[in-house]
Amino acid sequence: MTESSSEAQLAAVRAYASDAMGRPAEAVTAVTPFEDGNRHAVHRVSFRDASDGIRDVVVRVSFGGDASETAQAEREAAVLEHVGGVAAPVLYDFRRTSDWFATPAMCMQFLPGRREDLRTVGLTEIRRLASLVAWVHERPVDGLGESVGARTTIASYAGDRLRAILSTLVWARDPLPETLQERLRSAAGSLAESFAASWDSGETLSLLHGDIAPGNVLWSPGPCLIDWEYTRLGDPADELAYTFDQNALTPSQRRAFWDGYRHGMDSRSRLAPIIERVNWWEPVTLLGSALWWVERWVRRTEGKADPGVPREPDYYFGHVISRIDRLDTLVSPP
């Protein structure tokens, strides 16, 4: 980004924030960029409120504005209005386009918290996080419309997710060593067989955050979930399996998580089926994660563009190996 375009962006963020918060432009005292993510430019905006106190908000502007990007931003905004102030920052304003941006932009509450690797937090904090996740999973979804996904059954959702993950097996190809390709295919076959043999849940779907991973839990001082761009309707067991795997929770942390999750539920009769399904979902989410890293390693090895922030090939390959090794411990050969 050139200096002039950066200055233009800061001016646009300043103008949008003042309009979104109903304050004159001169009330804005600072605009500070955060490190951009893969999909958004993010800024902290400070301004003087009506009582002359200083307040901070976050302005996030999407890099892309095509139909899928806009639909995703609309879905996230709808969910933030639904859970903001409890499980997420409060959403103050959302616009698909504006006088300042041709892409979706939102203005939301700034939370002065800290991000921590979940492996380093105490068991009490894990319980609090789990209780919050249970609260999200039990929110009514009738007012969210179809933007969060079709209201199908758990079984239908699981089948769709498994097929989507299996479709990415096309990346298990040269130059990935044949032994690793075979380990991925063997795990995929085993998971497909276990689904066909045993899945019969007729439960309806729940609201999911979609990415409870390092960096998306903010402690201020209690937990709050940020970056809801992958929110959807789904099986809560899918989200819990992903959370356990992506954060490498220890056995004691998992027990604390289940304890907090149980206490956060209104309908505890659902807990046992969810626990049972987590046992199936965990290798499924791990397979999906492994193949995600395989794709990025193949792209970088072949000199193709990385959809995210490019790293050296060895960085991706390390993630591939660690996930395949863990997958082998969860999935028996068919």
Side-chain angles (χ1 to χ4, degrees):
M1 181 179 293
T2 65
E3 183 177 352
S4 59
S5 64
S6 177
E7 290 175 354
Q9 184 183 48
L10 292 177
V13 169
R14 177 186 294 268
Y16 166 64
S18 67
D19 190 72
M21 299 305 295
R23 299 296 295 156
E26 56 269 22
V28 177
T29 59
V31 178
T32 306
F34 289 117
E35 182 179 352
D36 290 343
N38 292 342
R39 302 163 61 89
H40 310 97
V42 188
H43 295 76
R44 176 179 177 175
V45 180
S46 304
F47 66 96
R48 294 191 179 278
D49 60 21
S51 61
D52 206 35
I54 296 294
R55 288 184 58 190
D56 295 303
V57 295
V58 173
V59 169
R60 202 189 73 185
V61 183
S62 298
F63 290 143
D66 61 18
S68 63
E69 292 277 351
T70 300
Q72 186 176 49
E74 290 174 340
R75 178 174 65 249
E76 183 176 1
V79 171
L80 286 176
E81 290 183 340
H82 197 57
V83 301
V86 178
V90 175
L91 179 69
Y92 299 127
D93 185 83
F94 169 72
R95 306 184 195 189
R96 296 165 186 83
T97 60
S98 63
D99 292 341
W100 307 280
F101 307 110
T103 60
M106 60 179 64
C107 180
M108 68 190 84
Q109 178 185 15
F110 171 78
L111 296 174
R114 68 192 189 283
R115 302 185 190 192
E116 291 188 16
D117 187 323
L118 292 187
R119 291 173 296 181
T120 68
V121 304
L123 299 184
T124 298
E125 286 75 16
I126 291 290
R127 292 187 187 94
R128 294 176 69 184
L129 173 62
S131 182
L132 184 69
V133 172
W135 182 88
V136 172
H137 289 171
E138 297 211 329
R139 290 310 87 207
V141 297
D142 293 341
L144 290 176
E146 293 298 319
S147 66
V148 291
R151 284 158 173 73
T152 60
T153 64
I154 294 288
S156 177
Y157 169 84
D160 290 343
R161 284 275 288 148
L162 180 59
R163 283 188 289 273
I165 289 171
L166 295 181
S167 72
T168 63
L169 274 170
V170 296
W171 290 100
R173 59 171 175 81
D174 294 339
L176 190 69
E178 181 62 35
T179 55
L180 297 183
Q181 295 182 40
E182 180 54 35
R183 288 165 69 184
L184 288 167
R185 295 191 188 99
S186 176
S190 192
L191 292 172
E193 181 179 316
S194 68
F195 174 82
S198 63
W199 208 278
D200 61 359
S201 174
E203 293 182 47
T204 56
L205 305 183
S206 299
L207 180 65
L208 309 183
H209 172 274
D211 189 19
I212 305 176
N216 288 344
V217 181
L218 192 67
W219 301 86
S220 60
C224 184
L225 301 176
I226 60 175
D227 292 343
W228 288 71
E229 58 185 303
Y230 298 115
T231 187
R232 61 185 182 274
L233 294 184
D235 183 357
D238 177 12
E239 177 133 279
L240 300 184
Y242 178 88
T243 301
F244 290 168
D245 174 66
Q246 291 298 305
N247 296 284
L249 297 189
T250 65
S252 62
Q253 287 180 316
R254 290 186 181 214
R255 289 191 293 271
F257 192 99
W258 283 124
D259 184 52
Y261 192 84
R262 180 178 66 254
H263 282 90
M265 298 182 76
D266 295 326
S267 306
R268 295 187 184 180
S269 62
R270 298 179 61 208
L271 183 61
I274 290 174
I275 292 174
E276 182 178 355
R277 293 198 304 273
V278 165
N279 293 328
W280 181 82
W281 272 112
E282 190 162 3
V284 172
T285 60
L286 187 53
L287 174 65
S289 179
L291 290 168
W292 189 91
W293 286 102
V294 166
E295 176 187 350
R296 274 141 189 83
W297 178 78
V298 170
R299 286 179 179 274
R300 290 294 288 156
T301 300
E302 296 181 343
K304 298 176 182 177
D306 180 359
V309 179
R311 303 286 190 96
E312 291 302 314
D314 285 349
Y315 169 81
Y316 301 98
F317 197 71
H319 282 283
V320 170
I321 293 298
S322 68
R323 282 160 173 77
I324 293 179
D325 286 345
R326 281 188 288 161
L327 190 60
D328 285 344
T329 68
L330 295 177
V331 180
S332 299

